[in-house]
């Protein structure tokens, strides 16, 4: 004869729950919290360091970060981000923001935000960003800060674009350049080389068909470099660590940024793939921007070049290659034990990246 337990009241349910092994209770609790994060938790606020818009052009905005603290350094710092994703990765949250850190260290910090391109921007080229936007932003920074010189920090593709700007504008008063996980040599790009091989990837057909490249396409390509880690890893980590609210806060911030992509103007994308990934023109000295050949040896300013040891988007050898071609007498290469994103957000960023940049810049900003 089989006896079934009848559960008819909250007390009965509580008694039954007490018989469940503790490891099952913990697993259920984590799964429940993970479900809340994915369905009902509010999106986190980002980009919280106070700022004001001081210049605009088309969709682009130039921000100046404001602070009650006195400026300790003469030279202002302009940050330039990539044409992919949004630049608030540099100012993700209080206590874990490169922008906030540098502002608190007494730097006069500016950020060039490219904005969100629309279909009407499909003919925008790298030439336009590098020759029309960055120089004007530099002049506006100098005028606003009343400084004679400035520094520029380029992150990811923003650093690659900044290097081209630097090579083509040796006349502009930029004393210091900081390149953070920016690729310069595209000879060996890992899986990107296979994905973008001109025998299989028809860049003209892609651009002519789409006009502007949707962010989902860029994101998918980046994630395919490590598909298991990138597609499933975040959710496995969320479930296994859902009892850690500090982890959940960081998880939500990072996933918000990863999902917050922007379109890539078609003509700029055509150049980026063909001239860099397919033909490696920059490091070879063969890149031409609006009729002008780009020679990286024209860069003579002070340079801090940062790579991330575990970076699979801009691999360390792609980043370090810059050191052999520039003419700078004061140049330093540093490899940070982090990844492409964790170099600027996370414990390693706070402990290593931020002080490295601040310390190097402080010595060269007065």
């Amino acid at each position: 004869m089989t006896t079934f337990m009848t559960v008819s009241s909250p007390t009965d349910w509580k008694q039954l729950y007490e018989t469940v092994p503790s490891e099952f209770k913990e697993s259920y609790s984590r799964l429940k919290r993970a479900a809340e994060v994915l369905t009902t938790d509010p999106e986190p606020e980002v980009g919280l360091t106070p700022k004001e818009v001081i210049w605009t052009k088309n969709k682009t905005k130039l921000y100046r970060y404001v602070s009650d603290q006195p400026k300790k350094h003469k030279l202002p710092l302009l940050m330039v981000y990539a044409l992919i994703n949004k630049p608030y990765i540099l100012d993700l949250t209080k206590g874990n923001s490169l922008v906030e850190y540098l502002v608190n260290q007494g730097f006069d910090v500016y950020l060039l935000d490219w904005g969100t391109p629309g279909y009407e921007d499909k003919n925008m080229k790298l030439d336009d960003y590098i020759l029309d936007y960055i120089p004007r932003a530099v002049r506006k920074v100098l005028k606003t800060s009343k400084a004679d010189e400035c520094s520029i920090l380029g992150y990811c593709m923003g650093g690659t674009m900044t290097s081209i700007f630097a090579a083509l504008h040796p006349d502009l008063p930029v004393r210091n350049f900081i390149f953070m996980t920016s690729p310069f040599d595209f000879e060996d790009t890992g899986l990107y080389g296979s994905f973008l091989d001109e025998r299989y990837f028809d860049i003209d057909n892609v651009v002519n068909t789409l006009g502007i490249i949707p962010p989902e396409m860029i994101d998918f390509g980046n994630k395919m470099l490590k598909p298991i880690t990138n597609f499933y890893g975040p959710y496995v980590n969320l479930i296994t660590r859902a009892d850690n609210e500090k982890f959940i806060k960081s998880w939500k911030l990072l996933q918000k940024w990863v999902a917050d992509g922007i379109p890539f103007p078609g003509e700029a994308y055509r150049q980026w793939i063909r001239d860099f990934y397919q033909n490696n023109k920059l490091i070879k000295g063969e890149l031409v921007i609006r009729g002008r050949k780009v020679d990286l040896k024209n860069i003579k300013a002070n340079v801090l070049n940062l790579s991330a040891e575990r970076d699979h988007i801009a691999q360390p050898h792609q980043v370090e290659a810059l050191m052999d071609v520039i003419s700078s007498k004061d140049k330093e290469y540093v490899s940070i034990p982090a990844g492409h994103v964790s170099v600027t957000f996370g414990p390693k960023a706070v402990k290593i990246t931020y002080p490295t940049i601040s310390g190097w810049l402080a010595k060269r900003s007065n």
Side-chain angles (χ1 to χ4, degrees):
M1 179 176 179
T2 304
T3 302
F4 294 95
M5 179 179 180
T6 302
V7 180
S8 58
S9 69
T11 301
D12 292 336
W13 279 109
K14 185 176 180 181
Q15 291 175 347
L16 178 60
Y17 184 73
E18 292 300 325
T19 67
V20 175
S22 59
E23 58 266 29
F24 292 139
K25 293 179 184 177
E26 292 168 2
S27 295
Y28 170 75
S29 178
R30 288 196 301 270
L31 188 60
K32 180 174 179 290
R33 182 69 186 104
E36 292 171 351
V37 170
L38 295 172
T39 58
T40 61
D41 272 16
E43 281 197 359
E45 294 184 348
V46 295
L48 299 178
T49 305
K51 59 184 180 293
E52 58 184 0
V53 178
I54 63 169
W55 175 77
T56 63
K57 180 176 171 61
N58 192 12
K59 312 294 172 56
T60 299
K61 295 178 181 179
L62 177 62
Y63 296 112
R64 185 187 196 186
Y65 290 91
V66 296
S67 172
D68 295 332
Q69 298 188 29
K71 301 291 186 291
K72 299 178 183 177
H73 308 286
K74 288 183 181 179
L75 269 62
L77 172 66
L78 171 63
M79 292 183 166
V80 179
Y81 187 59
L83 299 177
I84 308 166
N85 289 104
K86 294 184 179 178
Y88 62 74
I89 185 64
L90 294 164
D91 183 32
L92 208 48
T93 189
K94 287 184 177 297
N96 213 315
S97 159
L98 177 56
V99 167
E100 178 194 49
Y101 183 91
L102 293 173
V103 168
N104 289 341
Q105 291 296 310
F107 289 96
D108 189 9
V109 181
Y110 301 74
L111 173 68
L112 195 57
D113 182 347
W114 300 116
T116 303
Y119 189 76
E120 66 276 11
D121 300 305
K122 66 178 182 178
N123 293 321
M124 289 284 292
K125 302 179 70 174
L126 294 178
D127 308 43
D128 303 312
Y129 293 108
I130 293 167
L131 295 180
D132 296 337
Y133 285 68
I134 298 179
R136 293 186 188 183
V138 168
R139 293 187 181 99
K140 187 64 177 180
V141 166
L142 292 170
K143 182 178 181 180
T144 303
S145 64
K146 297 180 173 58
D148 296 326
E149 296 177 286
C150 70
S151 303
I152 300 181
L153 182 152
Y155 179 27
C156 185
M157 180 190 182
T160 312
M161 294 167 64
T162 296
S163 74
I164 299 168
F165 155 81
L168 295 176
H169 295 86
D171 55 311
L172 285 180
V174 182
R175 186 190 298 179
N176 308 304
F177 286 102
I178 299 172
F179 302 109
M180 187 163 67
T181 63
S182 301
F184 302 102
D185 186 349
F186 294 78
E187 183 66 30
D188 176 11
T189 57
L191 282 178
Y192 276 136
S194 300
F195 296 162
L196 301 173
D197 190 308
E198 57 189 341
R199 292 173 296 176
Y200 318 115
F201 188 77
D202 187 340
I203 183 60
D204 290 329
N205 193 27
V206 171
V207 173
N208 295 341
T209 300
L210 297 174
I212 61 171
I213 310 305
E216 294 83 3
M217 177 175 164
I218 304 294
D219 182 55
F220 183 81
N222 288 335
K223 286 180 176 177
M224 281 300 293
L225 296 176
K226 289 188 175 181
I228 301 299
T229 299
N230 293 324
F231 285 107
Y232 301 105
Y235 302 100
V236 172
N237 289 335
L238 174 61
I239 292 172
T240 57
R241 301 181 66 182
D243 54 355
N244 183 334
E245 287 299 321
K246 184 177 179 180
F247 169 81
I248 286 177
K249 179 183 177 182
S250 295
W251 190 93
K252 290 196 295 185
L253 285 163
L254 194 55
Q255 292 307 308
K256 174 181 173 63
W257 176 76
V258 168
D260 201 8
I262 60 174
F264 201 132
E267 289 304 320
Y269 184 72
R270 194 195 309 265
Q271 287 174 285
W272 183 239
I273 300 303
R274 174 168 288 154
D275 289 351
F276 294 80
Y277 281 93
Q278 293 182 344
N279 292 299
N280 196 23
K281 289 185 177 182
L282 177 61
I283 204 75
K284 293 178 180 178
E286 299 173 357
L287 182 66
V288 176
I289 296 292
R290 200 177 287 170
R292 300 169 61 185
K293 184 168 286 190
V294 179
D295 191 343
L296 292 175
K297 75 169 181 285
N298 289 335
I299 299 177
K300 298 178 182 178
N302 307 325
V303 168
L304 174 63
N305 191 17
L306 301 175
S307 71
E309 290 178 6
R310 300 190 301 276
D311 195 339
H312 55 279
I313 292 177
Q315 299 173 77
H317 69 267
Q318 294 182 259
V319 177
E320 188 177 9
L322 178 72
M323 308 305 287
D324 295 329
V325 294
I326 58 177
S327 300
S328 307
K329 293 182 180 178
D330 182 350
K331 56 184 179 179
E332 183 177 354
Y333 171 74
V334 177
S335 186
I336 307 291
H340 190 74
V341 177
S342 58
V343 75
T344 190
F345 173 74
K348 293 290 178 64
V350 174
K351 294 178 182 178
I352 303 175
T353 307
Y354 299 177
T356 298
I357 291 173
S358 177
W360 185 90
L361 202 55
K363 296 176 182 178
R364 296 162 177 83
S365 296
N366 292 314

